Every structure is written in structure tokens, then in C-alpha cells.
Amino acid sequence: MKKKYLPLLLIALMYGCIGNDYLMDEVEPELRISASLDTIAINSSFQFEATYLNNVGQEETVPLNWESSQNGIINIDENGLATATNTGQSTISVTYESPEQVYADSVTVVVGETSVVIEDDRSGSINTTSSYVLTGDFTIEENGSGIVVTFANNYQASSSLPGLYLYLSNNPNSIANAHEVGMVDVYIGAHQYNISEVGINEYNYLLYYCKPFNVKVGHGEIE
Amino acid sequence: MVKSNKMNWKSILLIAGIISIASPLFAGGPWPQARGNGYFKLYQWWTVFDQHYTDTGELDPNVTTGVFNTSLYAEYGLTDRFTGILNAPLFSRNYMNNLISSTTGETLVEGEAINSIGDIDLGIKYGLTKPGSKFPVAATLILGIPSGQTAGGSQENLQTGDGEFNQFIRVDAGTSFKIGKQTNAYTSLYTGFNNRGNDFSEEVRFGLEAGAGLLNSKLWLIGRLDVVESLKNGATAATVNSTSIFANNTEFSSYSLEAAYYITPKIGVSASVAAAFRGEIIAAAPSYSVGVFLDLKK
């Protein structure tokens, strides 16, 4: 009898092998200029930088092509180093030609007496993508070499998720290559996160994720 | 009653809930074993789930998770009224799948598994009515021994036990009768209270069971309905440093169907399926069980 029913038990045991779950994590690739320069001082230089995020939101080093629409006003070399030579304004463009598509970003810069870098605050709203409560507005501002994420009074998150973590990510569905801010310990009301060594334009999403079980709870696009 | 907030992260887990679905499958009924009689079963119980009931009772996905128990269940009549009960998961396995990027094929999170002994239940049933009573009533005390592993894997979120010592006391009442002239049948109902440790919420449980012996009582078909209601008086995720997605306060209503076939007058095989049709913070997938049993009273 043992022989007869042993296969059933073995099948049940083997069913416990680790398999694969697949995460739909594709996003639209993008190329973006990191610094928001409004005005460059005449006869000075500014180093532009650009970041290419691939189809999973991961930063990737790619060959970039820098151009200035008005070379007599602002010259820019192949490494993104811009030099203002005359008053006026010029559009600085960066492009990356992948085998499938051309990605581009641009910024219009004025040549003036002093350089002005725009320090725009960013903001957005988080929303649940699950059955767990997650809602609220937030702002992000620079603070030295880091940023401060401030949630408004209307913030609320479910306390039924013991492993709820906050991430900064460039992919709204994945924490791969994301910056882990930490475990959530405030579930209602205004609060702040001070995050060091992160640029204000470095990430596009706040992502709430249940880390132990790899379940997304919700996200907010940083606008 | 509000319990303290000292429950550590080890004490919270879905596994506690999903194993609870299997728990009513044993120790049920108001019929203690006669002295020297016994019922012993070696069985495999398992569930694999990729979604769960959330705290609002809705369904959310999760990484595919499996729990497998190879267990020994035993009832033995110490006297005509006292029956000793043991349910021992001798081998328990909990795993989670790999998480793979559908875009790049890269493994984002490596799957993990742990294997150990599970939580052992020890119990005693006492017949409150005389043996042979038309409407027997019995009381059962089951002690949940936290012998399983409470934290495994890199995230320490794999478990084969809930880490808490609980005391479940239940009262069963029922009756046996015949359907027609030949078919033996029975029905019973129970209610009980599960006092749980480590700041788990206490539970009220109740349910009913009915069975009929076909083929001259060689084949028994059994149906059960079980309800677990949490008092929600334990710690919440907000107050503990838990690594688990599933907090305390599991609730569910479940059904189970079991077939047991006597191959010989003493030896048989059984198979069952159980599933929650309503739940909070519990796996939303059926659990299955197959086993071989020895019934000494036949």
C-alpha cells in the first residue's frame, strides 16, 4: 500500500519547488537633462549632465550628442560643457540614438550677467494601486546634498502592512535600482523624510512597496 | 481588552492563518475514542497561493507562496471519556517564488525556502456525556506548541510556525443517525475560544460538520463549515517591527470536503480540500490534504 500512495505524497512534496513569478516592469525609456539652468553668466562655463533611463527605469550609460541652437551665443562640446560667449539665448539639446528610437531632451538658457540655476520644488500625490489604503499629497525640496520629502495632512496609509517600505524609484512597479528610504512608521498625517545624497531630479516616483512579500501597494509620480 | 504592543515581528504571519484552515479538520466531533482505541493518520497538507484577502476582505496579489506539511495525527483513548490528541507537522516547508523581470528576464528577487518541523498541537478531549449517549457533548483543549521556525530567509518572512503558544478550548455536540436503513451518518457543531500568546488577537471559532458512510460505511464523505472571528485585540502592524505583509487579526469562513475510504477494516486513505470563501489577511487559495490512516476501533 505504501508503494501505491507514495507517489501522491512525492508529487505533493515536489510541488513545493521554487518557481518563477514575473513582474510587469516595462516603462518608457527617457533621456533627461539633470540640471535646470535658467541663466548662464557670459564668458563662463557650465557642465550639463543628462541621464538615460532604460525600459525598466534603470540608469544606463549611453553615447550622448550635445547641441546648441545658437553656437554664437552658447557653445557646447561633446561632453556637455557649455560656454557662454555672447548675450542672448540658446536651446541646449541632448540626444541619444538607440537602434530603435531617438531620445531627446532640451532646455532653453539665457546668457546674462550671473548664472542662475532653477531650484524647482517637486510635488505629487500618492495613490494606492492595491486594496490597502494609501493616499496623500507630498512636496520634495532640496536640502544641501539631499532632499526633504514632506507629506501633507491628508496622508494616510494602511497599518495592516507590517513590511511597508518607501522607495524613490524610476519605475512605478519595481524596486530594482530604487533608493530605499526606509520602513514606513507613520500611517496618518503630516510628516517628513530627510534623504541625503539624493538629487531632486534623480527619481520620478515615490513607491510604496511591501518589501518582505514583494508586493506593490501604491505610488506617486513626482511632477 | 487591549493587549500590549510588545509583540515582536516573529509573531505575525499569514502562515498562522492558513494553517488555521487545516486545524478544524481534526479533533472535531463529540465522540471520544473508547479506551485503547485510536486513530492515526500520516498526511500531507499543502497550499500554494498568489493572492490573499486583505484587511478589507478584498483580493490582492502576492508573490507565489507555498506551505507544505507532512504531519502525523493521532487520537488515542486514554479512558472511555478521555482521548489524547496529537497533530505534529514532522516536516514543514515554506517557500516563495523568484521574482523575475518580464522585460529583461533578470531575477529581481531570489526565491527562498525553509524546511523545519512545524507547530505541534497537543490536546485532550473529554466526553461530558456518558459513552453511547444519543446526543453526546465533549470538551477539547488543544495547546499549540510553537515548535516551528518563526523567521527564515533573507527577509526573515518565511515561517513554519507562528511563534505563539495558544490554548484552544472547544465544545462539540452532535448526534449520529441513519439515512435510510443502511447508511450511517452524523452531524455535529462546535464553538470554541482560542487564547493566543505574543499579542496575537484572541479568536472565537465555530462550525458544523456532517458525514455519511456509504458503501456499508467503507467510504465516508464529510463536509465542514468553519468560521474564525478575530477579537482584534492584539498588536497591529503599526506598533511592531514586523517584516511580514500579513499582520495579526486573521479571519475567515471556510468550507472543507473530505473523503475517507477504508481499504481494510482498519486501514484507509483520505483526501480533503478546504478553502476560505471570506477572509481577512489570509491566503486566497484552496488547501489540500491526502493521507493514510489506521483506525483501531474498526
Side-chain angles (χ1 to χ4, degrees), chain A residues 1 4-5 8-9 11-27 55-56 58 129-133 158-165 174-177 183 185 187 209-216, chain B residues 13 44 46 48 52 54-56 58-65 68 70 91 93 95-104 108-109 111-113 155 157 236-238 240-247 263 267 269 290 292:
Chain A
M1 188 192 70
K4 188 174 177 182
Y5 297 102
L8 281 175
L9 293 174
I11 287 169
L13 283 169
M14 288 178 67
Y15 195 38
C17 295
I18 295 170
N20 294 329
D21 285 3
Y22 290 89
L23 178 69
M24 304 296 287
D25 59 351
E26 186 169 11
V27 295
N55 60 352
V56 289
Q58 183 178 4
T129 55
S130 64
S131 298
Y132 295 98
V133 172
S158 171
S159 61
S160 296
L161 287 158
L164 183 61
Y165 278 70
S174 172
I175 59 170
N177 309 300
M183 186 173 175
D185 58 5
Y187 296 89
Y209 214 78
C210 192
K211 185 179 177 183
F213 283 80
N214 303 307
V215 177
K216 178 186 173 183
Chain B
L13 186 65
Q44 178 74 21
W46 72 97
V48 177
H52 63 279
T54 68
D55 59 338
T56 56
E58 297 173 83
L59 290 174
D60 266 12
N62 54 260
V63 168
T64 301
T65 303
F68 296 77
T70 305
F91 174 81
R93 174 177 174 82
Y95 79 89
M96 285 187 189
N97 270 3
N98 299 308
L99 188 62
I100 309 287
S101 166
S102 64
T103 307
T104 64
L108 302 175
V109 181
E112 295 181 289
Q155 297 295 325
N157 56 344
T236 65
V240 296
N241 181 27
S242 171
T243 59
S244 170
I245 185 176
F246 299 105
I263 298 169
I267 296 173
V269 294
V290 293
V292 182

Side-chain angles (χ1 to χ4, degrees), chain B residues 221-249:
Chain B
L221 300 178
I222 301 162
R224 299 180 181 90
L225 285 173
D226 295 285
V227 177
V228 172
E229 291 290 325
S230 172
L231 299 188
K232 297 183 177 176
N233 58 344
T236 65
T239 56
V240 296
N241 181 27
S242 171
T243 59
S244 170
I245 185 176
F246 299 105
N248 199 355
N249 305 324

Side-chain angles (χ1 to χ4, degrees), chain B residues 160-171:
Chain B
T160 57
D162 57 20
E164 58 100 13
F165 174 61
N166 66 289
Q167 308 90 44
F168 177 43
I169 187 160
R170 61 185 278 173
V171 176

